[in-house]
Protein backbone atom coordinates (compact mmCIF):
# COMPACT_ATOMS: atom_id res chain seq x y z
CA UNK A 1 0.00 0.00 0.00
CA UNK A 2 1.17 3.52 -0.69
CA UNK A 3 2.13 5.47 2.43
CA UNK A 4 -0.21 8.29 1.41
CA UNK A 5 -3.17 5.92 1.43
CA UNK A 6 -2.11 3.90 4.46
CA UNK A 7 -3.16 6.64 6.88
CA UNK A 8 -6.80 6.24 5.89
CA UNK A 9 -6.76 2.52 6.69
CA UNK A 10 -5.06 3.22 10.02
CA UNK A 11 -7.68 5.85 10.89
CA UNK A 12 -10.43 3.44 9.86
CA UNK A 13 -8.93 0.75 12.08
CA UNK A 14 -8.85 3.13 15.04
CA UNK A 15 -12.47 4.09 14.33
CA UNK A 16 -13.61 0.45 14.35
CA UNK A 17 -11.80 -0.20 17.64
CA UNK A 18 -13.42 2.88 19.17
CA UNK A 19 -16.89 1.96 17.88
CA UNK A 20 -16.42 -1.49 19.41
CA UNK A 21 -16.43 0.03 22.90
CA UNK A 22 -20.03 1.23 22.54
CA UNK A 23 -21.79 -1.98 23.57
CA UNK A 24 -19.53 -2.38 26.62
CA UNK A 25 -20.06 1.20 27.77
CA UNK A 26 -23.83 1.02 27.14
CA UNK A 27 -24.03 -2.22 29.12
CA UNK A 28 -22.13 -0.63 32.01
CA UNK A 29 -24.47 2.39 31.85
CA UNK A 30 -27.52 0.11 31.87
CA UNK A 31 -26.09 -1.39 35.05
CA UNK A 32 -26.50 2.10 36.51
CA UNK A 33 -30.18 2.08 35.54
CA UNK A 34 -29.87 4.17 32.36
CA UNK A 35 -32.08 3.14 29.43
CA UNK A 36 -30.38 2.62 26.05
CA UNK A 37 -32.57 5.33 24.51
CA UNK A 38 -31.26 7.83 27.06
CA UNK A 39 -27.66 6.84 26.33
CA UNK A 40 -28.28 7.31 22.59
CA UNK A 41 -29.89 10.72 23.14
CA UNK A 42 -27.17 12.10 25.40
CA UNK A 43 -24.52 10.59 23.12
CA UNK A 44 -25.86 12.71 20.26
CA UNK A 45 -26.38 15.82 22.41
CA UNK A 46 -22.82 15.80 23.76
CA UNK A 47 -21.29 14.95 20.37
CA UNK A 48 -23.20 17.73 18.62
CA UNK A 49 -22.16 20.27 21.25
CA UNK A 50 -18.48 19.32 20.92
CA UNK A 51 -18.42 19.28 17.10
CA UNK A 52 -20.24 22.62 16.90
CA UNK A 53 -17.82 24.15 19.42
CA UNK A 54 -14.80 22.82 17.50
CA UNK A 55 -16.18 24.09 14.21
CA UNK A 56 -16.61 27.60 15.63
CA UNK A 57 -13.27 27.55 17.49
CA UNK A 58 -11.40 26.59 14.32
CA UNK A 59 -12.91 29.47 12.44
CA UNK A 60 -15.48 27.47 10.56
CA UNK A 61 -19.14 28.16 10.22
CA UNK A 62 -22.36 26.98 8.66
CA UNK A 63 -23.01 29.98 6.41
CA UNK A 64 -21.95 28.09 3.27
CA UNK A 65 -24.21 25.20 4.15
CA UNK A 66 -27.16 27.38 5.17
CA UNK A 67 -27.07 29.00 1.74
CA UNK A 68 -27.63 25.60 0.10
CA UNK A 69 -30.99 24.29 1.24
CA UNK A 70 -30.69 21.06 -0.79
CA UNK A 71 -27.46 20.05 0.96
CA UNK A 72 -28.87 21.10 4.32
CA UNK A 73 -31.92 18.91 3.71
CA UNK A 74 -29.68 15.94 2.85
CA UNK A 75 -27.65 16.43 6.02
CA UNK A 76 -30.86 16.71 8.05
CA UNK A 77 -32.02 13.43 6.50
CA UNK A 78 -28.69 11.87 7.51
CA UNK A 79 -29.17 13.07 11.09
CA UNK A 80 -32.67 11.61 11.20
CA UNK A 81 -31.33 8.34 9.79
CA UNK A 82 -28.57 8.18 12.43
CA UNK A 83 -31.02 8.77 15.28
CA UNK A 84 -33.43 6.18 13.88
CA UNK A 85 -30.61 3.66 13.52
CA UNK A 86 -29.72 3.96 17.21
CA UNK A 87 -33.34 3.90 18.37
CA UNK A 88 -34.73 1.18 16.09
CA UNK A 89 -31.88 -1.24 16.60
CA UNK A 90 -31.84 -0.84 20.39
CA UNK A 91 -35.60 -1.32 20.55
CA UNK A 92 -35.42 -4.41 18.34
CA UNK A 93 -33.48 -6.20 21.09
CA UNK A 94 -36.62 -6.11 23.25
CA UNK A 95 -38.52 -8.13 20.64
CA UNK A 96 -36.08 -10.46 18.91
CA UNK A 97 -32.95 -12.27 20.07
CA UNK A 98 -29.49 -10.79 19.71
CA UNK A 99 -28.41 -13.17 16.92
CA UNK A 100 -31.33 -12.27 14.66
CA UNK A 101 -31.12 -8.55 15.42
CA UNK A 102 -27.38 -8.26 14.82
CA UNK A 103 -27.53 -10.36 11.66
CA UNK A 104 -30.29 -8.19 10.16
CA UNK A 105 -28.82 -4.82 11.14
CA UNK A 106 -25.33 -5.83 9.98
CA UNK A 107 -26.54 -6.79 6.51
CA UNK A 108 -26.17 -3.15 5.38
CA UNK A 109 -23.09 -3.78 3.15
CA UNK A 110 -25.38 -5.59 0.69
CA UNK A 111 -27.58 -2.50 0.37
CA UNK A 112 -24.62 -0.12 0.32
CA UNK A 113 -22.97 -2.13 -2.46
CA UNK A 114 -26.07 -1.53 -4.59
CA UNK A 115 -26.23 2.16 -3.63
CA UNK A 116 -22.53 2.67 -4.30
CA UNK A 117 -22.64 0.86 -7.64
CA UNK A 118 -25.91 2.01 -9.17
CA UNK A 119 -26.59 5.38 -7.48
CA UNK A 120 -23.15 6.81 -6.69
CA UNK A 121 -21.45 5.21 -9.70
CA UNK A 122 -18.64 3.54 -7.76
CA UNK A 123 -16.96 0.43 -9.14
CA UNK A 124 -15.99 -2.59 -7.04
CA UNK A 125 -13.93 -5.66 -7.84
CA UNK A 126 -15.29 -9.20 -7.65
CA UNK A 127 -12.91 -9.76 -4.72
CA UNK A 128 -14.47 -6.86 -2.81
CA UNK A 129 -17.95 -8.31 -3.25
CA UNK A 130 -16.63 -11.69 -2.15
CA UNK A 131 -14.89 -10.14 0.85
CA UNK A 132 -18.12 -8.43 1.88
CA UNK A 133 -19.92 -11.78 1.71
CA UNK A 134 -17.21 -13.52 3.75
CA UNK A 135 -17.32 -10.79 6.42
CA UNK A 136 -21.11 -11.02 6.60
CA UNK A 137 -20.98 -14.82 6.94
CA UNK A 138 -18.52 -14.36 9.78
CA UNK A 139 -20.92 -11.97 11.53
CA UNK A 140 -23.79 -14.39 10.93
CA UNK A 141 -21.85 -17.25 12.50
CA UNK A 142 -20.59 -15.07 15.35
CA UNK A 143 -24.14 -13.92 16.11
CA UNK A 144 -25.53 -17.47 16.14
CA UNK A 145 -22.85 -19.05 18.33
CA UNK A 146 -22.77 -16.05 20.69
CA UNK A 147 -26.45 -16.37 21.55
CA UNK A 148 -28.72 -19.32 22.14
CA UNK A 149 -32.33 -19.10 23.18
CA UNK A 150 -35.82 -18.43 21.89
CA UNK A 151 -36.32 -16.18 18.91
CA UNK A 152 -38.24 -13.67 21.03
CA UNK A 153 -37.40 -12.44 24.56
CA UNK A 154 -40.25 -12.67 27.13
CA UNK A 155 -43.12 -10.49 25.94
CA UNK A 156 -41.42 -9.78 22.63
CA UNK A 157 -42.78 -9.96 19.10
CA UNK A 158 -40.14 -11.49 16.79
CA UNK A 159 -41.75 -10.24 13.57
CA UNK A 160 -41.92 -6.69 14.95
CA UNK A 161 -38.35 -7.01 16.22
CA UNK A 162 -37.10 -8.14 12.83
CA UNK A 163 -38.83 -5.18 11.19
CA UNK A 164 -37.21 -2.81 13.70
CA UNK A 165 -33.77 -4.29 13.02
CA UNK A 166 -34.40 -4.04 9.27
CA UNK A 167 -35.36 -0.38 9.74
CA UNK A 168 -32.12 0.11 11.65
CA UNK A 169 -30.20 -1.43 8.74
CA UNK A 170 -31.91 0.76 6.13
CA UNK A 171 -31.43 3.92 8.20
CA UNK A 172 -27.71 3.35 8.81
CA UNK A 173 -27.29 2.65 5.08
CA UNK A 174 -28.91 6.01 4.31
CA UNK A 175 -26.65 7.70 6.87
CA UNK A 176 -23.48 6.31 5.26
CA UNK A 177 -24.65 6.91 1.68
CA UNK A 178 -25.52 10.56 2.35
CA UNK A 179 -22.22 10.97 4.20
CA UNK A 180 -20.33 9.74 1.15
CA UNK A 181 -22.00 12.41 -1.02
CA UNK A 182 -21.76 15.28 1.47
CA UNK A 183 -18.15 14.67 2.44
CA UNK A 184 -17.16 15.42 -1.14
CA UNK A 185 -18.41 18.99 -0.56
CA UNK A 186 -17.98 19.71 3.15
CA UNK A 187 -15.39 19.11 5.85
CA UNK A 188 -15.79 16.40 8.46
CA UNK A 189 -16.65 18.97 11.13
CA UNK A 190 -19.19 20.78 8.95
CA UNK A 191 -20.94 17.52 8.16
CA UNK A 192 -20.87 15.93 11.61
CA UNK A 193 -21.86 19.12 13.45
CA UNK A 194 -25.10 19.31 11.48
CA UNK A 195 -25.84 15.57 11.41
CA UNK A 196 -25.20 15.02 15.13
CA UNK A 197 -27.29 18.06 16.03
CA UNK A 198 -30.24 16.93 13.92
CA UNK A 199 -29.84 13.43 15.36
CA UNK A 200 -30.02 14.81 18.89
CA UNK A 201 -33.12 16.88 18.07
CA UNK A 202 -34.80 13.71 16.80
CA UNK A 203 -33.61 11.27 19.48
CA UNK A 204 -34.64 13.37 22.50
CA UNK A 205 -38.37 13.67 21.66
CA UNK A 206 -38.48 10.01 20.61
CA UNK A 207 -36.96 9.04 23.95
CA UNK A 208 -39.48 11.19 25.82
CA UNK A 209 -42.35 9.67 23.80
CA UNK A 210 -41.05 6.23 24.81
CA UNK A 211 -41.54 7.36 28.43
CA UNK A 212 -37.84 7.07 29.20
CA UNK A 213 -36.44 9.34 31.90
CA UNK A 214 -33.55 11.40 30.55
CA UNK A 215 -32.70 13.12 33.84
CA UNK A 216 -32.38 10.18 36.22
CA UNK A 217 -28.65 9.55 35.76
CA UNK A 218 -26.07 8.78 38.44
CA UNK A 219 -22.63 10.48 38.43
CA UNK A 220 -21.01 7.20 37.35
CA UNK A 221 -23.54 6.87 34.51
CA UNK A 222 -22.79 10.44 33.38
CA UNK A 223 -19.10 9.50 33.17
CA UNK A 224 -19.97 6.43 31.09
CA UNK A 225 -22.24 8.47 28.80
CA UNK A 226 -19.45 10.99 28.30
CA UNK A 227 -17.14 8.14 27.32
CA UNK A 228 -19.75 6.89 24.83
CA UNK A 229 -19.81 10.35 23.24
CA UNK A 230 -16.03 10.71 23.21
CA UNK A 231 -14.89 7.24 22.16
CA UNK A 232 -17.38 5.40 19.89
CA UNK A 233 -19.09 8.57 18.66
CA UNK A 234 -16.40 11.24 18.20
CA UNK A 235 -13.52 8.75 17.98
CA UNK A 236 -15.58 6.28 15.94
CA UNK A 237 -18.34 7.76 13.80
CA UNK A 238 -16.50 11.03 13.25
CA UNK A 239 -13.36 9.25 12.03
CA UNK A 240 -15.51 7.06 9.76
CA UNK A 241 -17.04 10.22 8.31
CA UNK A 242 -13.51 11.50 7.71
CA UNK A 243 -12.43 8.35 5.88
CA UNK A 244 -15.65 8.03 3.87
CA UNK A 245 -14.57 11.09 1.91
CA UNK A 246 -11.36 9.31 0.86
CA UNK A 247 -12.28 5.64 0.29
CA UNK A 248 -15.15 3.96 -1.51
CA UNK A 249 -18.44 3.44 0.30
CA UNK A 250 -17.88 -0.33 0.50
CA UNK A 251 -14.27 -0.08 1.73
CA UNK A 252 -15.28 2.39 4.45
CA UNK A 253 -18.30 0.54 5.78
CA UNK A 254 -17.48 -3.18 5.52
CA UNK A 255 -14.70 -2.86 8.14
CA UNK A 256 -17.35 -1.67 10.62
CA UNK A 257 -18.49 -5.29 10.63
CA UNK A 258 -15.43 -5.73 12.81
CA UNK A 259 -17.31 -4.00 15.63
CA UNK A 260 -18.81 -7.23 17.04
CA UNK A 261 -15.33 -8.78 16.92
CA UNK A 262 -13.83 -5.88 18.86
CA UNK A 263 -16.75 -5.88 21.29
CA UNK A 264 -16.27 -9.59 21.93
CA UNK A 265 -12.59 -9.12 22.72
CA UNK A 266 -13.33 -6.15 24.98
CA UNK A 267 -16.02 -8.16 26.76
CA UNK A 268 -13.38 -10.82 27.40
CA UNK A 269 -10.89 -8.31 28.78
CA UNK A 270 -13.28 -6.04 30.72
CA UNK A 271 -16.30 -8.19 31.60
CA UNK A 272 -14.59 -11.57 31.69
CA UNK A 273 -16.94 -13.09 29.11
CA UNK A 274 -15.35 -16.21 27.58
CA UNK A 275 -14.51 -16.63 23.88
CA UNK A 276 -15.17 -20.14 22.57
CA UNK A 277 -13.28 -21.82 19.75
CA UNK A 278 -16.30 -21.38 17.46
CA UNK A 279 -16.46 -17.65 18.19
CA UNK A 280 -12.72 -17.30 17.48
CA UNK A 281 -13.17 -19.04 14.11
CA UNK A 282 -16.01 -16.74 13.02
CA UNK A 283 -14.10 -13.70 14.25
CA UNK A 284 -11.18 -14.75 12.04
CA UNK A 285 -13.57 -15.25 9.11
CA UNK A 286 -15.01 -11.75 9.58
CA UNK A 287 -11.58 -10.15 9.75
CA UNK A 288 -10.47 -12.09 6.66
CA UNK A 289 -13.42 -10.73 4.68
CA UNK A 290 -12.66 -7.19 5.82
CA UNK A 291 -9.02 -7.61 4.82
CA UNK A 292 -10.08 -8.77 1.34
CA UNK A 293 -12.18 -5.65 0.83
CA UNK A 294 -9.43 -3.28 1.97
CA UNK A 295 -6.55 -4.96 0.11
CA UNK A 296 -8.47 -5.02 -3.15
CA UNK A 297 -9.59 -1.43 -2.60
CA UNK A 298 -5.94 -0.41 -2.72
CA UNK A 299 -5.15 -2.73 -5.63
CA UNK A 300 -8.17 -1.39 -7.52
CA UNK A 301 -6.95 2.19 -7.06
CA UNK A 302 -3.47 1.27 -8.32
CA UNK A 303 -4.81 -0.81 -11.21
CA UNK A 304 -8.46 -0.08 -12.15
CA UNK A 305 -8.70 -3.40 -14.04
CA UNK A 306 -7.87 -5.51 -10.97
CA UNK A 307 -10.68 -7.97 -10.16
Amino acid sequence: MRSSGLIYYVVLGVAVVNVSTASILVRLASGEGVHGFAVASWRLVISSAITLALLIALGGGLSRLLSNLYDLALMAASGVALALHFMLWMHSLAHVNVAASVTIVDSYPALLALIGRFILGESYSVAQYLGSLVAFLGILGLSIVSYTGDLAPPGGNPVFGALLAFGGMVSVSAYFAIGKVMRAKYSTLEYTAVVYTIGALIAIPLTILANVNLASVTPKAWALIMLVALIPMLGGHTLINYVIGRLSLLATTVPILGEPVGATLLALLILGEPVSQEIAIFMALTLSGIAMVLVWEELRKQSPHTS
Side-chain angles (χ1 to χ4, degrees):
M1 289 185 184
R2 295 167 298 177
S3 59
S4 59
L6 179 60
I7 183 62
Y8 302 130
Y9 300 100
V10 172
V11 171
L12 187 56
V14 172
V16 172
V17 171
N18 288 340
V19 168
S20 300
T21 66
S23 59
I24 306 298
L25 293 170
V26 170
R27 180 179 295 185
L28 292 173
S30 67
E32 293 293 308
V34 183
H35 194 283
F37 283 11
V39 177
S41 296
W42 286 121
R43 168 185 189 170
L44 286 164
V45 168
I46 296 170
S47 300
S48 64
I50 292 175
T51 50
L52 281 170
L54 284 174
L55 181 62
I56 295 171
L58 294 175
L62 300 176
S63 57
R64 183 165 66 100
L65 175 60
L66 293 175
S67 64
N68 191 324
L69 294 181
Y70 177 76
D71 287 355
L72 183 60
L74 278 179
M75 287 195 190
S78 182
V80 172
L82 180 60
L84 289 178
H85 166 64
F86 288 148
M87 309 292 281
L88 291 174
W89 178 61
M90 287 182 181
H91 193 39
S92 75
L93 296 173
H95 292 278
V96 69
N97 66 33
V98 174
S101 177
V102 170
T103 300
I104 293 170
V105 83
D106 277 346
S107 63
Y108 63 83
L111 181 56
L112 285 174
L114 295 175
I115 293 174
R117 177 67 182 85
F118 295 106
I119 297 179
L120 301 183
E122 294 187 337
S123 61
Y124 307 121
S125 68
V126 174
Q128 285 181 294
Y129 286 118
L130 181 59
S132 300
L133 177 61
V134 169
F136 174 73
L137 291 176
I139 291 298
L140 176 62
L142 183 61
S143 300
I144 293 174
V145 301
S146 296
Y147 184 88
T148 57
D150 296 331
L151 185 61
N157 182 330
V159 175
F160 182 55
L163 289 173
L164 288 171
F166 181 80
M169 183 274 290
V170 172
S171 58
V172 78
S173 297
Y175 163 67
F176 284 133
I178 295 172
K180 176 63 179 177
V181 175
M182 290 293 98
R183 281 288 292 107
K185 300 180 180 181
Y186 300 95
S187 70
T188 305
L189 271 180
E190 286 176 318
Y191 176 70
T192 55
V194 174
V195 171
Y196 295 170
T197 300
I198 297 296
L201 293 174
I202 295 297
I204 289 177
L206 286 178
T207 299
I208 294 173
L209 286 174
N211 200 29
V212 172
N213 192 329
L214 283 165
S216 181
V217 181
T218 66
K220 181 179 179 180
W222 277 122
L224 291 168
I225 289 172
M226 182 61 72
L227 288 176
V228 171
L230 293 176
I231 302 176
M233 195 65 188
L234 294 178
H237 276 265
T238 303
L239 292 182
I240 291 168
N241 282 312
Y242 168 74
V243 174
I244 208 169
R246 273 77 178 177
L247 301 179
S248 72
L249 191 59
L250 202 62
T252 304
T253 55
V254 166
I256 305 171
L257 292 178
E259 177 184 353
V261 176
T264 300
L265 293 176
L266 288 173
L268 170 65
L269 296 174
I270 298 174
L271 303 177
E273 294 185 358
V275 175
S276 67
Q277 183 178 7
E278 292 84 359
I279 289 177
I281 290 173
F282 285 117
M283 286 168 56
L285 186 64
T286 301
L287 294 176
S288 298
I290 292 171
M292 288 177 65
V293 173
L294 295 181
V295 169
W296 260 269
E297 170 78 1
E298 189 64 17
L299 290 175
R300 184 183 59 83
K301 289 194 299 183
Q302 295 181 27
S303 177
H305 300 294
T306 300
S307 62

